[in-house]
Amino acid sequence: MTSRVARALVIHELLERVRDRWVMVITGLFVLLASGIGMYGRAAEESAAAVAAPSLVTLAAFLVPLVALVLGHDAIVGERERHTLGLLMSLPVGRGEVLLAKFLGRAMALAIAIVLGMGSAALLVEAGQRAVLLSLIGPTMLLGGAFLSIGMLVSTVAKRHATAASLAVSVWFLLVFFYDLGLLGLLVATDGAVSQDVIAGLVQINPAGLYRTGLLVQLSGATALEEMGLAVALPSTAVKAALWSAWLAGPLVIGGLLLGRRRAVTA
Amino acid sequence: MKLSVDGISVRFGAVLALSGIDLDFPPGEVAVLAGPNGAGKSTLMAVVLGLVEPDTGRLLVDGEDLVAAGARAHRRFRERIGYLPEAVAFAENLSGLEVMRFFARARGVGKARVHEVLEKVGLKEAARRAVRGYSRGMRQRLGLGIAILHEPELLILDEPTGGLDQQGLSTLWAVLDEWRSAGRRVLLSTHDLALIERRADRVHVISAGRLKASGTPDDLRRLAGLTIRVRVAMDDMKHAETLAGSLSQDLAVPVDLGEDEIGLSIPSSSVFAVIRAMDSAGVAGVRVEEPGLDAVYERLLEAP
């Protein structure tokens, strides 16, 4: 990003988000819960990798997408409703750049929350086990980034803030809460007619599934999926990189195109 | 810079927001868009800013049509524009200084200018306070400061007087005078007739998306067919009859003879001729009554 305006907007967005009381509260909650997991890991006789890390992954898999969606959903529609979008768009900047700058500023705020949460858990376990928990930060940021990108798309599609909020919560329920249940239902309903490869593929194309399965194998070894009854191979690193890139950039690009095509940007 | 709009039309669904608007914005002028709510004033400003794409028409800047040239050309043009939107709002959890610094960074303006502008708009003391604690007038002044921060060639102000106290109004008058004397342009919309009377060089009356009239406030009075009323108090009504006869003949305007005064309805261009005629006739007690701009607008907006 070379635009002077876009660079200024990244800093502005970050500053605005870290001052946001809601972001402070949710970050505090994440730190609190992650710290609890860290303390539990320290108290357990097994290693932190075996006890705290899977719990931390489960916590992050539920909480981080919600935080990211809430951070992203009002980026454009919120500005429009607060009557601040006109002033912003009167600057010499492209619409796509505004969306990207907002994404980056909010992603930085999200990264701070993730580092504080994961970092606090890591600080509470034995020094020798910290690296395992700290290694979760990168994938968790990818997960947050993917859902933030979806949130940004929601913010460009929705005409009203309330609609965007409803859409964001629906996306969270759908991809994080009901998705796996739906796949389970599919398996039961088809009585095994759908192959495990298809089911595994469907798990992997969901960023929450990609995050969970990837870290499960990273933490518990290659046989972890087999123990859960999924005798499938995980996608290669290149495929995983492509999937993460698609989730990070795809919704954002679609949002940028939609915003660019809108005749009246402030209406 | 040469700036004009040519045949601009904007339709939102079934609503025709602007219909074939042609306007020139000469340098060194304060141009006012006047008209009722929903007339299309803000839409026209949004077209100039590139926030709304017109269905037809051209926005000409130094001969280049920005509508045809596309978003990149419009983005370059926005470097030269300062904008104060109607009901301006900012990030509530940031201070006035932080908001101003963001726009300064975005515009490539230094810190010294930020402090200079904050002082100019009377927010130096409140600069470190969160915007959420600002009154409407303070927000308006902050918005005005942001609009003038980079000393743009074109200042677009949408209803700039809303919520402004006397100090804010004085700042606004000073800014308008500064922009005019520097040969820059101001395009503003307002319902504030006092602002139009005091500062407008040219007024464009818009109603239901159509341009009803354009000109100086005096031109509009003429266009509206409203004349200036001159009343002359008379002690000697015999002398009044003679004077009325001669004025009627010289100025070719109807003269009414009252009980103790004569009245003339004249165009504004004849005011000095009438006063000179009175003076040479040795008549004192001349009272000039201009029709208010409210009456002018009412008349212009009623016109088909």
Side-chain angles (χ1 to χ4, degrees):
Chain A
M1 190 176 332
T2 54
S3 158
R4 182 186 64 220
V5 183
R7 285 197 305 271
L9 186 55
V10 172
I11 300 167
H12 181 70
E13 280 292 318
L14 175 62
L15 192 60
E16 208 184 329
R17 286 316 117 202
V18 295
R19 297 264 182 87
D20 190 313
R21 281 178 195 163
W22 190 91
V23 175
M24 285 185 201
V25 167
I26 204 83
T27 304
L29 181 68
F30 186 46
V31 169
L32 202 69
L33 293 173
S35 301
I37 291 171
M39 284 159 73
Y40 171 63
R42 190 188 182 96
E45 286 178 7
E46 294 172 74
S47 72
V51 177
S55 306
L56 208 51
V57 169
T58 305
L59 173 70
F62 276 91
L63 203 57
V64 169
L66 184 64
V67 177
L69 284 165
V70 172
L71 266 175
H73 84 285
D74 73 336
I76 298 297
V77 73
E79 294 259 13
R80 192 179 292 129
E81 276 198 4
R82 287 193 301 272
H83 300 286
T84 50
L85 191 61
L87 187 57
L88 184 61
M89 292 296 190
S90 73
L91 291 168
V93 65
R95 295 176 186 184
E97 273 185 296
V98 166
L99 200 66
L100 181 60
K102 280 181 161 285
F103 172 79
L104 290 176
R106 285 164 196 241
M108 284 182 192
L110 183 63
I112 291 172
I114 290 169
V115 168
L116 285 176
M118 298 281 190
S120 61
L123 279 176
L124 288 168
V125 298
E126 296 288 340
Q129 301 286 318
R130 275 181 197 146
V132 177
L133 297 194
L134 291 176
S135 72
L136 303 179
I137 290 177
T140 308
M141 282 187 185
L142 284 177
L143 175 73
F147 277 90
L148 181 62
S149 184
I150 297 170
M152 302 293 290
L153 173 60
V154 165
S155 82
T156 58
V157 172
K159 296 257 178 186
R160 292 178 184 280
H161 182 249
T163 314
S166 309
L167 273 172
V169 172
S170 304
V171 167
W172 182 75
F173 268 109
L174 186 72
L175 292 184
V176 178
F177 214 73
F178 292 127
Y179 193 85
D180 290 350
L181 288 175
L183 292 183
L184 202 61
L186 184 68
L187 265 176
V188 172
T190 57
D191 199 20
V194 178
S195 75
Q196 287 212 350
D197 284 330
V198 171
I199 295 293
L202 289 171
V203 169
Q204 303 296 321
I205 58 165
N206 176 354
L210 189 62
Y211 172 76
R212 274 198 300 253
T213 51
L215 285 181
L216 192 65
V217 170
Q218 183 186 315
L219 294 169
S220 310
T223 55
L225 290 179
E226 282 175 33
E227 285 164 17
M228 292 173 69
L230 271 178
V232 293
L234 275 179
S236 66
T237 308
V239 172
K240 277 199 280 188
L243 282 169
W244 279 122
S245 303
W247 277 112
L248 284 167
L252 208 56
V253 168
I254 296 168
L257 290 172
L258 290 175
L259 196 62
R261 287 166 63 118
R262 189 165 277 176
R263 267 189 64 214
V265 72
T266 53
Chain B
M1 177 174 74
K2 280 185 178 176
L3 176 65
S4 61
V5 294
D6 174 25
I8 292 286
S9 293
V10 176
R11 184 178 280 281
F12 295 121
V15 178
L16 187 62
L18 289 174
S19 173
I21 303 285
D22 299 318
L23 288 175
D24 277 320
F25 301 104
E29 274 198 2
V30 175
V32 172
L33 299 177
N37 289 333
K41 307 183 295 289
S42 297
T43 304
L44 182 58
M45 290 178 162
V47 168
V48 175
L49 282 159
L51 304 180
V52 168
E53 192 185 312
D55 291 289
T56 57
R58 299 185 300 166
L59 169 65
L60 296 165
V61 178
D62 293 330
E64 183 186 17
D65 176 16
L66 297 192
V67 176
R72 202 173 289 268
H74 225 127
R75 181 176 149 182
R76 276 199 309 275
F77 178 49
R78 285 201 291 268
E79 292 274 9
R80 303 155 82 178
I81 305 177
Y83 175 50
L84 170 65
E86 187 181 3
V88 66
F90 310 98
E92 296 279 308
N93 53 9
L94 301 187
S95 70
L97 180 61
E98 285 167 334
V99 170
M100 191 74 98
R101 274 190 184 153
F102 158 61
F103 284 96
R105 273 195 292 267
R107 294 287 190 186
V109 170
K111 281 182 186 169
R113 175 69 181 160
V114 168
H115 290 284
E116 183 190 320
V117 169
L118 280 169
E119 183 149 17
K120 190 173 202 164
V121 296
L123 288 175
K124 197 181 171 189
E125 304 301 317
R128 290 181 190 279
R129 275 168 46 196
V131 170
R132 84 164 64 84
Y134 279 21
S135 68
R136 192 177 162 213
M138 289 166 84
R139 287 163 197 248
Q140 198 77 355
R141 278 189 273 147
L142 180 60
L144 182 62
I146 288 165
I148 64 170
L149 198 56
H150 57 301
E151 298 179 292
E153 289 171 66
L154 170 64
L155 200 50
I156 298 182
L157 310 173
D158 198 352
E159 300 288 351
T161 56
L164 281 186
D165 56 11
Q166 197 48 52
Q167 186 192 1
L169 284 173
S170 303
T171 308
L172 177 63
W173 302 150
V175 165
L176 296 183
D177 291 343
E178 188 185 333
W179 252 248
R180 181 194 285 119
S181 60
R184 303 181 196 132
R185 293 166 179 77
V186 180
L187 171 62
L188 65 87
S189 74
T190 187
H191 295 286
D192 188 337
L193 297 177
L195 187 154
I196 296 174
E197 198 72 81
R198 285 187 198 179
R199 291 298 191 281
D201 295 307
R202 203 169 294 267
V203 185
H204 308 292
V205 182
I206 298 179
S207 176
R210 291 174 195 282
L211 186 65
K212 290 282 197 170
S214 275
T216 64
D218 263 357
D219 289 339
L220 296 189
R221 282 193 184 91
R222 239 188 337 270
L223 280 169
L226 293 173
T227 49
I228 291 176
R229 187 86 181 146
V230 177
R231 292 182 189 280
V232 187
M234 303 296 293
D235 295 332
D236 176 357
M237 287 314 285
K238 268 195 179 169
H239 180 55
E241 277 180 42
T242 318
L243 181 64
S246 95
L247 284 172
S248 176
Q249 200 173 353
D250 293 350
L251 299 169
V253 292
V255 179
D256 337 308
L257 214 50
E259 275 188 19
D260 55 357
E261 65 170 23
I262 57 174
L264 302 90
S265 293
I266 57 167
S268 59
S269 54
S270 306
V271 171
F272 289 112
V274 170
I275 291 172
R276 264 200 305 274
M278 298 297 171
D279 195 42
S280 45
V283 177
V286 180
R287 202 151 41 94
V288 178
E289 294 170 1
E290 283 193 350
L293 277 178
D294 47 350
V296 173
Y297 290 127
E298 219 167 276
R299 182 71 68 87
L300 287 170
L301 293 173
E302 278 168 7

